[in-house]
Every structure is written in structure tokens, then in C-alpha cells.
Amino acid sequence: MDTVAGSIGQRLLAVIHWRRWRAALVLAGIFSLLLLPAWENHVWVLLLRMFVVCLMCVLAFGFWEQFPRRLPRWIARWVVQVGAVALTVPPTMVTLYILTGPEVGPALWQDKPRLQSLFIMIVLGLLIGPWVALGALVRQREAMARHQALSFALERSELERRATDARLALMQAQVQPHFLFNTLANVRALVETGSPQALPVLDSLIAYLRAAVPRLNAAMGTLGDEMGLVRAYLDIMAMRMPDRLSFRINLEPGTDALPCPPMAVLTLVENAVRHGIDPAEDGGTIDITASLRGGVLHITVSDSGLGLGSAGTGGLGTGLSTLRQRLALCFGPTATLSLTERAGGGVVATLSWPVREATA
């Protein structure tokens, strides 16, 4: 019951809202200016009559806009509103002519000039009022259409954002097993070779995984965090291949705080070790650089391994395809991943994405 009463109260407030008064005042001013050249009485009488007539029409328009809540299907609400405006003009104008007439003199129905003036005002009101109401309805429909279009756009944007987050989370879930399986394969290789480095490497690997795994679930990290994981991974690989792997990391000052998807660079480094350095008889070197040029972050992973033509491709295409999709979801279509042959042998993998769009 309280809810219904509150709803009725809100609708009544909408009818008598100050915007209705403002609309009546504006309309009264416009019509008064139009009638003023032919008006022979006091100006305030004209202004008062126009304001009261316009106000009553506006209130009638608003009342039938809010009440009743439902109308029979055979009649449209706009017809009721326009009709209410037309029906409000005659009684309101008659009442005003009676109340604002001269104190002395014949009654209204006995004063022919006043009756003629009343008739003209009623006719003008009946001609103009419904058209003004129709214009207001058109404006309301247009405003409602714009509001609905904006709401749909916001809702669509929110749904697209949720879909993007879901796809990104799914890809993260796909990357994590890939990383863990590769790491366990490295441990197995160490055990099989019986290397004295096996136990230190295993301890380092456990410490590395303890630090790395919690970061894998994050949607976005920093380049500094990513390079920490890359350095730890390469330290372990260098212990496993002490005479066959060396690496250098060179970050431009200030780039370590820039956003970076977890395991984006690590995926390229893993590929360089697995498909470039490890199969090569003499091993090789991995160089990692990061620089910021024109608002775009460029990260390069260069290895001196077997190269694209000689390296095995098992798992390489899937990992790079997933990485490209993750970059597109995080940074948009301007993010790129390219692979080229390195001069003298090897592969150069380059990641690029706009920093401003990512941090906005």
C-alpha cells in the first residue's frame, strides 16, 4: 500500500514539477507577444490570462501523461493528452474572462465585444494548444529514444567488457598448464641426465614456482614483474645448460612500471629456449630489450638458435596464437607480435602495444 502511495506521489510530483511551471511561463510569454499588438486592455491582464491558460493546459497534459497507469488498448495515451489540452482551453478561458472582467458594466454574456474577444481567444487556443502538445510529445519521444539508445550502448559496452574479461581469464587458464608442463619437463630432463646441478636446479625451480604461480591469475602486471619471472626462468635454464646458454636483459629506464600481461614475454623466452637454443648443438644467446617510442612499448626477444626454418614447431603456433589473442583483448588491434629471422641465425620476436590506451 505504501509502495502504491509512493508511486502515486512521485507521479503527482512529476505533474507539478517546476519544469511544468517554466514551460507554462515560456508559452505565456510567447503568446502574449504575438497578441500584444491587437490587445486594447491592460497588459497584465493578457499576461495573467495567457499564463493561467498555458499552465492549466500543461498540467492537463502532464496529468493524463501519468494517470491512469493503464489505458484501454483501443485508445492511445497521446490522443488523451492532446484531447485534454483542447478541452481545457474553453472552460479556463471563460473562467478567466469572468474573474478578470471589469467590476462595473454588463455581464459577460451581455457584453458583445468581450464575447467576441472570448470567442477569438478560445478558437486560437483550440488551434494552437493541440499542436503545441503534439510538438511536446514528439520531443519526449525523441528524448526517450536517445536515452534508450544510450542505455543500450552502455549495456552493450558492459557486456562486451565482461565477455572480454571471460575470454582473457579462459586464455590465462590455458596458458598456466602449458607453463607448468614445460617446467616439469625441464625437471625430468635434469633427473634423467643425473647432473650434479639437478638438486640445486630443483630447489631453485620450487622457489621460482612459489613466487611465480600467484602472479599467473592476475589480469595485468608490470613489465618489471614480468622481467623478474623471465630472469628467474633463464637463471634456472642457465644452470641446466651452463655452457650453452647465456642471456642479457636491457630495459629502458622507466619501462619497468608499464603494464604487461603475465607470461607474455616469458612465452617468447620459453619458445626461444625450447625451439632455438636447446636443440642447437652449441646453444646460443638470448637478448631481451624493452623501449618506449611514441607511446608504444616495444619488447624484443632475440635468440641465436636454430632459426625459424630449422626449429621444431610443436606447440609453437598454439602458444603464439594464444598470446596474440591475449594482446588483442588487453590492448586492442594495435598490439602486435611479429617473428623474423635474425641476421646470422636465430629468431627475433617483437611485442608492441600502446601504453596510453592500456593505462587509460
Side-chain angles (χ1 to χ4, degrees):
M1 186 64 182
D2 292 341
T3 303
V4 174
S7 177
I8 293 176
Q10 291 177 355
R11 284 188 284 166
L12 284 174
L13 288 176
V15 173
I16 60 175
H17 195 270
W18 68 271
R19 287 182 297 183
R20 306 282 181 179
W21 293 80
R22 184 182 62 183
L25 186 61
V26 171
L27 291 174
I30 294 174
F31 294 141
S32 298
L33 289 175
L34 294 176
L35 296 174
L36 191 59
W39 189 254
E40 298 177 354
N41 206 336
H42 295 290
V43 175
W44 68 268
V45 175
L46 175 62
L47 290 173
L48 177 63
R49 289 176 181 177
M50 288 296 102
F51 176 71
V52 174
V53 170
C54 292
L55 179 61
M56 294 303 296
C57 290
V58 169
L59 292 180
F61 180 87
F63 179 84
W64 291 103
E65 180 187 42
Q66 301 291 333
F67 301 96
R69 183 183 291 274
R70 296 181 184 276
L71 289 173
R73 291 185 176 179
W74 52 269
I75 186 169
R77 186 172 292 277
W78 71 269
V79 175
V80 176
Q81 290 179 262
V82 173
V85 170
L87 293 175
T88 301
V89 173
T92 305
M93 197 63 74
V94 171
T95 303
L96 286 172
Y97 265 74
I98 294 174
L99 296 178
T100 60
E103 296 180 357
V104 294
L108 175 63
W109 56 87
Q110 296 174 339
D111 191 340
K112 189 176 180 180
R114 291 182 63 203
L115 282 177
Q116 290 179 343
S117 175
L118 173 62
F119 177 76
I120 293 173
M121 295 297 287
I122 290 175
V123 171
L124 289 176
L126 292 176
L127 290 176
I128 298 175
W131 286 106
V132 174
L134 286 174
L137 286 169
V138 171
R139 290 189 59 188
Q140 280 187 338
R141 295 293 176 88
E142 292 176 350
M144 187 179 299
R146 289 195 298 270
H147 177 73
Q148 288 181 344
L150 181 61
S151 299
F152 289 154
L154 292 174
E155 185 177 357
R156 183 172 61 251
S157 176
E158 177 64 19
L159 291 176
E160 289 176 352
R161 187 189 65 79
R162 292 181 181 179
T164 300
D165 292 344
R167 291 177 60 190
L168 191 57
L170 177 60
M171 290 181 180
Q172 291 283 102
Q174 293 173 345
V175 169
Q176 292 173 21
H178 174 75
F179 163 71
L180 294 176
F181 289 151
N182 284 349
T183 306
L184 290 175
N186 289 324
V187 174
R188 183 175 182 273
L190 291 171
V191 173
E192 284 181 347
T193 57
S195 171
Q197 294 291 332
L199 186 58
V201 169
L202 186 58
D203 291 339
S204 299
L205 194 57
I206 292 172
Y208 167 63
L209 290 176
R210 185 177 292 117
V213 169
R215 298 179 181 177
L216 301 182
N217 291 322
M220 186 66 68
T222 65
L223 184 59
D225 294 336
E226 180 73 3
M227 287 304 172
L229 292 177
V230 169
R231 186 183 296 278
Y233 172 79
L234 288 174
D235 284 340
I236 293 172
M237 292 300 102
M239 293 175 67
R240 178 192 160 200
M241 300 180 287
D243 300 327
R244 302 176 57 242
L245 172 63
S246 60
F247 66 91
R248 293 184 291 268
I249 298 178
N250 183 20
L251 300 184
E252 187 178 276
T255 57
D256 55 343
L258 298 177
C260 177
M263 303 187 66
V265 183
L266 186 60
T267 298
L268 299 182
V269 174
E270 279 188 293
N271 285 335
V273 173
R274 182 181 178 185
H275 302 286
I277 305 298
D278 202 13
E281 184 177 351
D282 298 331
T285 302
I286 295 177
D287 291 301
I288 304 171
T289 62
S291 61
L292 183 64
R293 298 193 301 273
V296 178
L297 178 64
H298 300 274
I299 303 172
T300 300
V301 178
S302 174
D303 70 80
S304 60
L306 295 182
L308 291 174
S310 304
T313 57
L316 182 59
T318 302
L320 295 182
S321 176
T322 301
L323 179 55
R324 284 193 175 94
Q325 294 181 51
R326 291 175 62 205
L327 293 177
L329 291 174
C330 291
F331 304 104
T334 54
T336 61
L337 164 60
S338 63
L339 294 180
T340 57
E341 291 282 357
R342 176 180 173 177
V347 177
V348 178
T350 303
L351 294 170
S352 301
W353 58 73
V355 173
R356 292 175 181 173
E357 294 181 11
T359 55

Short mmCIF file of all heavy atoms in Angstrom, two decimals, residues 5-21 59 62-63 65-67:
data_model
loop_
_atom_site.label_atom_id
_atom_site.label_comp_id
_atom_site.label_asym_id
_atom_site.label_seq_id
_atom_site.Cartn_x
_atom_site.Cartn_y
_atom_site.Cartn_z
N ALA A 5 1.18 4.16 -2.80
CA ALA A 5 1.03 5.57 -2.48
C ALA A 5 2.26 6.36 -2.88
O ALA A 5 2.17 7.47 -3.42
CB ALA A 5 0.76 5.73 -0.99
N GLY A 6 3.45 5.77 -2.61
CA GLY A 6 4.68 6.45 -3.02
C GLY A 6 4.75 6.63 -4.51
O GLY A 6 5.17 7.66 -5.01
N SER A 7 4.31 5.63 -5.26
CA SER A 7 4.33 5.73 -6.71
C SER A 7 3.39 6.84 -7.18
O SER A 7 3.73 7.61 -8.06
CB SER A 7 3.91 4.38 -7.31
OG SER A 7 3.84 4.47 -8.70
N ILE A 8 2.20 6.93 -6.54
CA ILE A 8 1.26 7.99 -6.91
C ILE A 8 1.84 9.36 -6.57
O ILE A 8 1.72 10.32 -7.35
CB ILE A 8 -0.08 7.77 -6.19
CG1 ILE A 8 -0.75 6.49 -6.72
CG2 ILE A 8 -0.99 8.97 -6.38
CD1 ILE A 8 -2.02 6.14 -6.01
N GLY A 9 2.51 9.44 -5.41
CA GLY A 9 3.12 10.72 -5.03
C GLY A 9 4.19 11.15 -6.01
O GLY A 9 4.29 12.33 -6.36
N GLN A 10 4.99 10.20 -6.45
CA GLN A 10 6.03 10.54 -7.41
C GLN A 10 5.44 11.01 -8.73
O GLN A 10 5.95 11.95 -9.36
CB GLN A 10 6.93 9.32 -7.64
CG GLN A 10 7.78 8.96 -6.43
CD GLN A 10 8.59 7.71 -6.66
OE1 GLN A 10 8.45 7.05 -7.68
NE2 GLN A 10 9.43 7.37 -5.70
N ARG A 11 4.35 10.39 -9.13
CA ARG A 11 3.73 10.81 -10.40
C ARG A 11 3.09 12.19 -10.26
O ARG A 11 3.11 12.99 -11.21
CB ARG A 11 2.70 9.77 -10.83
CG ARG A 11 3.35 8.51 -11.41
CD ARG A 11 2.34 7.59 -12.00
NE ARG A 11 1.61 6.88 -10.96
CZ ARG A 11 0.49 6.21 -11.16
NH1 ARG A 11 -0.04 6.18 -12.37
NH2 ARG A 11 -0.10 5.57 -10.18
N LEU A 12 2.52 12.48 -9.08
CA LEU A 12 1.96 13.82 -8.87
C LEU A 12 3.06 14.88 -8.88
O LEU A 12 2.89 15.98 -9.44
CB LEU A 12 1.20 13.86 -7.54
CG LEU A 12 -0.18 13.19 -7.54
CD1 LEU A 12 -0.76 13.17 -6.14
CD2 LEU A 12 -1.13 13.91 -8.50
N LEU A 13 4.20 14.55 -8.26
CA LEU A 13 5.32 15.49 -8.28
C LEU A 13 5.81 15.73 -9.71
O LEU A 13 6.23 16.84 -10.06
CB LEU A 13 6.47 14.95 -7.42
CG LEU A 13 6.24 14.98 -5.91
CD1 LEU A 13 7.41 14.31 -5.19
CD2 LEU A 13 6.07 16.42 -5.42
N ALA A 14 5.75 14.67 -10.53
CA ALA A 14 6.15 14.84 -11.93
C ALA A 14 5.20 15.78 -12.66
O ALA A 14 5.62 16.55 -13.54
CB ALA A 14 6.20 13.47 -12.63
N VAL A 15 3.90 15.75 -12.28
CA VAL A 15 2.92 16.61 -12.94
C VAL A 15 3.15 18.07 -12.58
O VAL A 15 3.07 18.97 -13.44
CB VAL A 15 1.49 16.17 -12.56
CG1 VAL A 15 0.46 17.17 -13.10
CG2 VAL A 15 1.21 14.79 -13.11
N ILE A 16 3.42 18.35 -11.29
CA ILE A 16 3.56 19.74 -10.83
C ILE A 16 5.03 20.14 -10.70
O ILE A 16 5.36 21.07 -9.98
CB ILE A 16 2.85 19.93 -9.48
CG1 ILE A 16 3.45 19.00 -8.41
CG2 ILE A 16 1.36 19.68 -9.60
CD1 ILE A 16 2.89 19.24 -7.02
N HIS A 17 5.90 19.43 -11.40
CA HIS A 17 7.33 19.74 -11.33
C HIS A 17 7.57 21.17 -11.83
O HIS A 17 6.81 21.69 -12.67
CB HIS A 17 8.12 18.75 -12.18
CG HIS A 17 9.59 18.75 -11.90
ND1 HIS A 17 10.45 19.58 -12.58
CD2 HIS A 17 10.34 18.06 -11.03
CE1 HIS A 17 11.68 19.37 -12.15
NE2 HIS A 17 11.64 18.44 -11.19
N TRP A 18 8.63 21.77 -11.31
CA TRP A 18 8.91 23.17 -11.69
C TRP A 18 9.11 23.33 -13.17
O TRP A 18 8.89 24.42 -13.72
CB TRP A 18 10.13 23.68 -10.93
CG TRP A 18 11.42 23.03 -11.34
CD1 TRP A 18 11.97 21.90 -10.83
CD2 TRP A 18 12.31 23.46 -12.38
NE1 TRP A 18 13.14 21.59 -11.47
CE2 TRP A 18 13.38 22.54 -12.41
CE3 TRP A 18 12.32 24.53 -13.27
CZ2 TRP A 18 14.43 22.65 -13.31
CZ3 TRP A 18 13.36 24.64 -14.16
CH2 TRP A 18 14.40 23.71 -14.18
N ARG A 19 9.51 22.31 -13.86
CA ARG A 19 9.67 22.41 -15.31
C ARG A 19 8.34 22.65 -16.00
O ARG A 19 8.29 23.29 -17.06
CB ARG A 19 10.31 21.13 -15.85
CG ARG A 19 11.80 21.03 -15.50
CD ARG A 19 12.41 19.79 -16.08
NE ARG A 19 11.82 18.58 -15.51
CZ ARG A 19 12.21 17.35 -15.79
NH1 ARG A 19 13.20 17.17 -16.63
NH2 ARG A 19 11.63 16.32 -15.22
N ARG A 20 7.25 22.15 -15.40
CA ARG A 20 5.93 22.43 -15.96
C ARG A 20 5.61 23.92 -15.84
O ARG A 20 5.06 24.53 -16.77
CB ARG A 20 4.87 21.61 -15.22
CG ARG A 20 5.16 20.12 -15.19
CD ARG A 20 4.84 19.45 -16.50
NE ARG A 20 5.10 18.02 -16.45
CZ ARG A 20 4.90 17.18 -17.45
NH1 ARG A 20 4.45 17.64 -18.60
NH2 ARG A 20 5.15 15.91 -17.33
N TRP A 21 5.92 24.48 -14.66
CA TRP A 21 5.69 25.92 -14.47
C TRP A 21 6.54 26.74 -15.45
O TRP A 21 6.09 27.75 -16.00
CB TRP A 21 6.02 26.32 -13.04
CG TRP A 21 5.08 25.72 -12.03
CD1 TRP A 21 5.11 24.47 -11.52
CD2 TRP A 21 3.96 26.37 -11.43
NE1 TRP A 21 4.10 24.27 -10.65
CE2 TRP A 21 3.36 25.43 -10.57
CE3 TRP A 21 3.39 27.63 -11.53
CZ2 TRP A 21 2.24 25.72 -9.81
CZ3 TRP A 21 2.27 27.92 -10.77
CH2 TRP A 21 1.69 26.98 -9.93
N LEU A 59 -0.58 21.37 -17.17
CA LEU A 59 -0.92 20.43 -16.10
C LEU A 59 -1.84 19.33 -16.61
O LEU A 59 -1.71 18.16 -16.21
CB LEU A 59 -1.58 21.18 -14.94
CG LEU A 59 -0.67 22.15 -14.17
CD1 LEU A 59 -1.44 22.83 -13.05
CD2 LEU A 59 0.54 21.43 -13.60
N GLY A 62 0.32 16.93 -18.45
CA GLY A 62 1.11 16.10 -17.55
C GLY A 62 0.26 15.13 -16.75
O GLY A 62 0.69 13.99 -16.49
N PHE A 63 -0.96 15.55 -16.34
CA PHE A 63 -1.81 14.66 -15.54
C PHE A 63 -2.18 13.41 -16.35
O PHE A 63 -2.05 12.29 -15.86
CB PHE A 63 -3.07 15.41 -15.11
CG PHE A 63 -4.01 14.56 -14.29
CD1 PHE A 63 -3.83 14.41 -12.93
CD2 PHE A 63 -5.07 13.90 -14.91
CE1 PHE A 63 -4.69 13.61 -12.18
CE2 PHE A 63 -5.93 13.10 -14.16
CZ PHE A 63 -5.74 12.97 -12.80
N GLU A 65 -0.65 12.26 -18.75
CA GLU A 65 0.58 11.52 -19.05
C GLU A 65 0.87 10.50 -17.95
O GLU A 65 1.43 9.43 -18.21
CB GLU A 65 1.76 12.50 -19.16
CG GLU A 65 3.09 11.85 -19.47
CD GLU A 65 4.22 12.86 -19.40
OE1 GLU A 65 4.22 13.70 -18.46
OE2 GLU A 65 5.08 12.85 -20.29
N GLN A 66 0.48 10.85 -16.70
CA GLN A 66 0.79 9.99 -15.56
C GLN A 66 -0.40 9.13 -15.12
O GLN A 66 -0.21 8.05 -14.57
CB GLN A 66 1.23 10.86 -14.37
CG GLN A 66 2.46 11.72 -14.63
CD GLN A 66 3.72 10.89 -14.80
OE1 GLN A 66 3.82 9.79 -14.26
NE2 GLN A 66 4.68 11.42 -15.54
N PHE A 67 -1.61 9.61 -15.32
CA PHE A 67 -2.80 8.91 -14.83
C PHE A 67 -3.78 8.69 -15.99
O PHE A 67 -3.89 9.56 -16.88
CB PHE A 67 -3.50 9.73 -13.72
CG PHE A 67 -2.62 10.00 -12.54
CD1 PHE A 67 -1.92 11.19 -12.43
CD2 PHE A 67 -2.49 9.05 -11.54
CE1 PHE A 67 -1.11 11.45 -11.35
CE2 PHE A 67 -1.68 9.31 -10.44
CZ PHE A 67 -0.99 10.51 -10.35
#
